[in-house]
Amino acid sequence: MNESGNTPTPSTNPALITFSSLILPGLGQFLLKKRQRGFVIFFVVLISAFLVNWSLVHQNIGKITLGEFTTSWLWLPLILFWIWNIMDARALSSAKTINLLPGIAFIAIILYVIAWNVTDVRLDRLVERFSDARTVATKLLNPDVITITINGNDQICAWQCMFTYTSDKLSGRTTQGPIRWSDNLSDIVGSVKDISAPSWEVKLGLVQQGSNVKTFSSGTMLQTIAMGLMATIFSTILAIPVSFLAAHNIMSRVRGGMVVYYVMRTILNVVRAVDTIVWGLIVIVW
């Protein structure tokens, strides 16, 4: 009876697989034809090692001193991930699998600690700067819409002020000064202003040359709405022919249409890859 068939091949020998993953993370998985898994483990270790070293050298993140030796404690979760990689390769060589969560958790600890320190997250600021947050919240709840004049000075008339003013008016008392729409509201919505008479009104003889006329000047909110409507109209007009040129079922029936199709798809992919805000900034500068 031939027993050579029972002898494991070098690529599936558990000892060889374990030793391979010990020397190079992911190599054991690669030898077991789990190439994607092996590549992921290898690059995760490579990138994590770079981040740990960079964070120690440039940010002093996780820095600890052991006698005369200075290192980072973040190497510990990376070593644990390396050990998990060895166990994973050994389990795969025996046609088994182990839980992925420990490996993910070890790498997540490294990334989380580095990101926490690089972004300078400080939870104590939630308590120390609570008064600042309260000030912002108070201003949001009391918008600058109405202005009241008190002792010759203009002040924002919030909800309590308007309630008091209304109560005084209904009761016939005048404990507060006059109120009016604030300049901030005029900037947002718009207001009627005196501007030079348009040339077409002068030509029609409606007004005299050099005179001023009262005209509504739109605010920033109306201008934003108008810009959105204009963008929608122009984009719709442009999208109608482009949609046909980028349709595979239409252009495939036209001689040379596939060239146009791929060109249009490339242009659309480039346009879609750039964020809308970036396009808006480009157009504004233009």
Side-chain angles (χ1 to χ4, degrees):
M1 182 176 179
N2 187 4
E3 298 180 355
S4 61
N6 298 327
T7 303
T9 60
S11 60
T12 58
N13 190 312
L16 176 62
I17 296 300
T18 303
F19 181 76
S20 300
S21 292
L22 175 63
I23 299 301
L24 186 65
L27 181 58
Q29 289 83 349
F30 185 84
L31 294 176
L32 291 170
K33 300 187 184 304
K34 302 288 185 179
R35 293 182 174 85
Q36 184 175 1
R37 193 184 189 101
F39 278 124
V40 170
I41 293 175
F42 173 75
F43 283 109
V44 165
V45 172
L46 189 65
I47 295 174
S48 299
F50 169 78
L51 290 176
V52 172
N53 181 72
W54 175 87
S55 62
L56 175 63
V57 174
H58 297 280
Q59 301 286 336
N60 291 327
I61 299 175
K63 182 178 180 180
I64 57 174
T65 303
L66 303 174
E68 298 181 355
F69 181 69
T70 301
T71 184
S72 172
W73 66 266
L74 291 177
W75 290 113
L76 178 59
L78 184 58
I79 293 174
L80 294 176
F81 179 81
W82 201 309
I83 296 174
W84 173 88
N85 146 74
I86 298 172
M87 297 173 59
D88 178 68
R90 185 174 181 83
L92 290 176
S93 65
S94 302
K96 301 178 181 178
T97 57
I98 62 174
N99 197 341
L100 294 175
L101 291 181
I104 297 175
F106 296 142
I107 299 301
I109 291 173
I110 298 174
L111 298 178
Y112 185 80
V113 171
I114 295 176
W116 183 280
N117 287 272
V118 169
T119 55
D120 194 23
V121 176
R122 291 175 54 187
L123 294 178
D124 56 317
R125 293 179 181 176
L126 295 176
V127 178
E128 294 176 355
R129 300 186 178 181
F130 179 76
S131 58
D132 297 337
R134 184 174 58 184
T135 301
V136 174
T138 302
K139 291 183 177 181
L140 288 174
L141 295 175
N142 297 277
D144 183 6
V145 177
I146 303 296
T147 297
I148 186 170
T149 303
I150 300 178
N151 297 327
N153 296 322
D154 291 339
Q155 300 179 11
I156 298 175
C157 187
W159 299 113
Q160 182 62 36
C161 170
M162 287 187 283
F163 176 77
T164 303
Y165 182 85
T166 304
S167 300
D168 291 345
K169 283 294 184 181
L170 293 176
S171 60
R173 295 176 298 177
T174 55
T175 59
Q176 299 189 66
I179 64 173
R180 58 180 175 82
W181 297 114
S182 67
D183 296 335
N184 179 62
L185 183 63
S186 300
D187 294 337
I188 295 175
V189 178
S191 60
V192 178
K193 299 180 180 179
D194 289 333
I195 64 172
S196 299
S199 59
W200 65 271
E201 291 188 4
V202 176
K203 292 179 179 180
L204 293 177
L206 300 177
V207 294
Q208 296 181 354
Q209 180 71 31
S211 60
N212 294 332
V213 294
K214 291 185 177 297
T215 304
F216 177 77
S217 177
S218 61
T220 54
M221 182 179 69
L222 296 183
Q223 292 176 6
T224 303
I225 296 174
M227 290 173 61
L229 291 175
M230 291 177 61
T232 303
I233 293 173
F234 284 117
S235 60
T236 302
I237 296 174
L238 180 62
I240 291 175
V242 171
S243 61
F244 289 102
L245 296 177
H248 184 274
N249 58 343
I250 295 178
M251 300 309 297
S252 60
R253 302 178 181 180
V254 181
R255 178 176 297 180
M258 293 306 298
V259 177
V260 178
Y261 166 78
Y262 284 112
V263 171
M264 295 307 303
R265 294 294 297 184
T266 302
I267 295 175
L268 292 178
N269 289 333
V270 172
V271 172
R272 185 171 53 186
V274 180
D275 193 84
T276 307
I277 297 178
V278 177
W279 282 120
L281 294 174
I282 293 174
V283 172
I284 289 174
V285 174
W286 181 21

